[in-house]
Structures are given as structure tokens and as C-alpha cells.
Amino acid sequence: DAGVTQSPTHLIKTRGQQVTLRCSPKSGHDTVSWYQQALGQGPQFIFQYYEEEERQRGNFPDRFSGHQFPNYSSELNVNALLLGDSALYLCASSWRGRGGPDTQYFGPGTRLTVL
Amino acid sequence: SQQGEEDPQALSIQEGENATMNCSYKTSINNLQWYRQNSGRGLVHLILIRSNEREKHSGRLRVTLDTSKKSSSLLITASRAADTASYFCATGQTGGFKTIFGAGTRLFVKA
């Protein structure tokens, strides 16, 4: 049973560029959440996707956008990159079935460096 | 700002000792979770406790939740060098889908 996978593992971009990060959820999971984790900090919630729609969004600007596909995989897009966007981006999947607890399974993350 | 606040920020103990980490939060929650993270990699889910539960055990882990004080604790008994990691509490928000993490406790277990 494959866990949550993310690609790429590492990425280096320059200011102003755009980036797309990808996530495949754990088998059987239908919900994907994205987090940004700066060095030495806890993960910050970016947004959550369920049934191909953004269900809730954290305190991130519109430069951060996402998408969920019919197979439940997801992409995170960041436009007009800033130096401050350098972080570990984590994808987490879960199952939002009725009554299910919100246990999330995390991928290994994508390390984004903006120069 | 992040809701969860872990205490202490860092903890160094000898192998075999117990490690206790505390977490406080601010708003109403559905559940509280603890995660472990090794060296900036992905987070590993350790245990989830629902808002109507007061204590939960899993192997060497014991979690308590006091919703009146908006606090939780994680106890790791008989610690091992392999327990060296950062530990985060995360709260599932009532009426929403957001999970909010604290800044974490960095645990170092000396062999």
C-alpha cells in the first residue's frame, strides 16, 4: 500500500518564477491538504481539497493556488515566487468519510529554495 | 499565528528516562493529534485524541487532554535514542477543516 508521495523532492527557483508541486494521496484517501513549513517552525495550513474543490484556506495570498484531480491527486501552484516562499511544502491525505477521525498521513515533502 | 504552543521548546534527556511535552491551544477543537518529524522530513502521525476523551495510550506513548484548560501532554516512557526528533501537537478545529500546528518540541535522547 503506497503512502503519500510528492514530487519533486527538491526544487530551486528564482524570484518571480512560478512552481508546481505534486501530491498523490494514500490509497483510499479522498482529501488532500497542503502545508508550508519554514525552517524551525511548525507546518502552516495552506488549503484543503475535497471533491476537487478548495474546502478551506489558511492565511496565504492568492499567489498560492491548487487543484485536485478526479483521482484525488493534487497540485500546489505558487506564482511570482518570493524569497520568503523558501520552505518545505508538505502534502497530507486523509479520508473524510462520515464519522472518520481526521488522521492525516504526510508525504516526505518538497524542499523549495527561492534564490 | 499558530495556535498550538508546545512546552518546552527543547528537551534533552538520557536514554531510559521519560519525556513529557505539553501543548496549549486557544479555540474549540474536535480533536488533538501528535506528530513526530525527523530531520525536516515528513511528519509521522503518533496518536489522535478526540475532544470527548481524556487519556489515550499507544505503546510507550500516553496522551492526556484537558479541554477545560485547553491543554494536552505527551509522555514518552523509557525513551530511546531513536526517539530523537521534533514533536508537534496539532488541533482539528470545530466547524472547519483546518489543522493548526504548534512550533514543536525538539527532543534529544542521549545514548
Side-chain angles (χ1 to χ4, degrees):
Chain A
D1 176 23
V4 180
T5 60
Q6 291 186 244
S7 63
T9 304
H10 295 86
L11 204 51
I12 299 175
K13 292 285 188 178
T14 56
R15 282 177 295 176
Q17 285 189 312
Q18 179 265 344
V19 68
T20 297
L21 310 181
R22 295 176 176 83
C23 171
S24 292
K26 182 178 171 64
S27 177
H29 285 182
D30 59 5
T31 301
V32 173
S33 301
W34 286 93
Y35 294 84
Q36 179 195 66
Q37 186 178 23
L39 199 61
Q41 301 294 318
Q44 296 258 25
F45 177 83
I46 302 175
F47 40 52
Q48 183 180 91
Y49 276 85
Y50 173 68
E51 292 187 339
E52 302 179 50
E53 290 191 358
E54 182 184 291
R55 186 150 66 166
Q56 188 165 3
R57 187 179 185 89
N59 189 25
F60 280 81
D62 292 344
R63 298 186 298 109
F64 289 77
S65 63
H67 189 77
Q68 185 179 35
F69 299 94
N71 66 353
Y72 307 120
S73 66
S74 177
E75 289 182 349
L76 164 65
N77 301 292
V78 187
N79 295 322
L81 285 167
L82 304 173
L83 295 179
D85 294 332
S86 295
L88 180 68
Y89 287 85
L90 295 162
C91 167
S93 74
S94 57
W95 178 67
R96 298 300 294 194
R98 183 176 300 175
D102 192 16
T103 298
Q104 297 179 84
Y105 293 81
F106 281 80
T110 293
R111 175 73 62 186
L112 173 64
T113 301
V114 182
L115 303 176
Chain B
S1 64
Q2 297 184 103
Q3 172 175 245
E5 297 288 340
E6 279 97 336
D7 170 55
Q9 291 184 334
L11 182 60
S12 181
I13 59 175
Q14 293 290 140
E15 216 170 23
E17 294 181 338
N18 295 341
T20 299
M21 289 160 264
N22 303 296
C23 167
S24 61
Y25 58 92
K26 297 177 183 174
T27 60
S28 178
I29 64 171
N30 286 326
N31 60 68
L32 187 144
Q33 304 148 57
W34 286 90
Y35 290 85
R36 184 186 72 223
Q37 185 177 40
N38 292 84
S39 302
R41 300 176 188 171
L43 281 77
V44 174
H45 180 262
L46 296 176
I47 196 166
L48 178 149
I49 185 167
R50 296 184 175 87
S51 59
N52 61 352
E53 298 176 310
R54 292 297 167 258
E55 187 170 315
K56 206 161 183 180
H57 296 254
S58 177
R60 293 185 295 114
L61 306 180
R62 172 178 170 258
V63 169
T64 62
L65 178 64
D66 187 336
T67 52
S68 66
K69 295 181 179 178
K70 291 186 167 58
S71 67
S72 173
S73 68
L74 171 67
L75 168 67
I76 304 175
T77 60
S79 62
R80 307 164 182 169
D83 294 328
T84 294
S86 292
Y87 291 82
F88 296 91
C89 73
T91 52
Q93 305 300 293
T94 299
F97 306 102
K98 182 188 296 189
T99 300
I100 298 181
F101 283 79
T105 292
R106 280 121 192 104
L107 173 66
F108 182 65
V109 182
K110 293 175 282 187

